Amino acid sequence: DEVERWKAVARYLQTNHRGQKVAVTPIGAISYLADVHILDTVGLVSREVTRSGKTMPEKLLRKAVLGHERYDEDWILAQEPDVIVVLDWSKQPWNGRPVSTNVYAEYKLLEAITKRRLPYKLEVPSVAPDLHWFMLVRQPAPGTGSKSAASS
C-alpha cells in the first residue's frame, strides 16, 4: 500500500542520504523515519514556499490537490537539495521512460532543472523488492568533486 511504499523510500534515504537535503512532496513517512533535512515542495512545512505566493494555475485546481497547490521552484533549488524525490515509481527496474508526475510543484522543479541545466542525474534505485523510485540526485560540479550550484 501507499504508506508502506513511502516507508521503503524513507528507509532508503536513511541508509543512503542520511543528513542530506531532500526535496519531496509527501513528507510524512520520510520526515518521521529518515534523518534528512526536508524541503517541502508544496510548503506545508517549508514556509518560504507558501510565502512566495506561487500557486498552480486555477484551471488545474481540483479537490484532490487542495493544500498542495503552492510551489516555489526557485526557493527549493536555491537550497541545493541533494536529492529530489519525485512522486513516480515502478515495479520493474527503470527502462528509460521519462519521469512522470501529477504534482505541479514537481513539474515546475523538473522544468527548471531541465531549462537551467542544473547538475542533477536521474536515479531509480530499488528501495524495496519490486519497488523502484524516481529520484534526482545532485551531481558534483565538474572538476570540483563537491556539490555546488551550476550557473544558469
Side-chain angles (χ1 to χ4, degrees), residues 35-57:
D35 180 19
V36 296
H37 177 74
I38 296 287
L39 300 169
D40 180 3
T41 63
V42 295
L44 299 176
V45 297
S46 296
R47 293 182 187 163
E48 296 81 359
V49 172
T50 304
R51 290 181 184 142
S52 77
K54 292 181 177 181
T55 59
M56 64 191 313

Side-chain angles (χ1 to χ4, degrees), residues 82-143:
D82 299 294
V83 181
I84 299 171
V85 178
V86 181
L87 195 61
D88 192 7
W89 59 276
S90 174
K91 288 185 177 185
Q92 291 82 33
W94 185 48
N95 62 6
R97 78 166 171 84
V99 177
S100 174
T101 183
N102 62 0
V103 177
Y104 194 74
E106 290 179 359
Y107 166 77
K108 294 302 284 184
L109 277 170
L110 294 169
E111 179 182 59
I113 288 166
T114 302
K115 283 183 178 178
R116 300 175 197 175
R117 296 184 175 167
L118 297 178
Y120 284 91
K121 178 183 175 194
L122 176 63
E123 295 184 6
V124 189
S126 174
V127 299
D130 299 322
L131 184 58
H132 304 269
W133 214 276
F134 287 65
M135 301 180 190
L136 295 164
V137 179
R138 189 168 185 79
Q139 302 299 296

Side-chain angles (χ1 to χ4, degrees), residues 5 13 31 42 50 56 65 69 73 76 82 90 122 145 149 151:
R5 287 193 299 263
L13 291 170
S31 64
V42 295
T50 304
M56 64 191 313
V65 299
E69 68 273 11
E73 76 283 12
I76 293 287
D82 299 294
S90 174
L122 176 63
S151 57

Side-chain angles (χ1 to χ4, degrees), residues 18 35 58 77 122 129:
R18 185 180 195 158
D35 180 19
E58 199 171 313
L77 292 172
L122 176 63

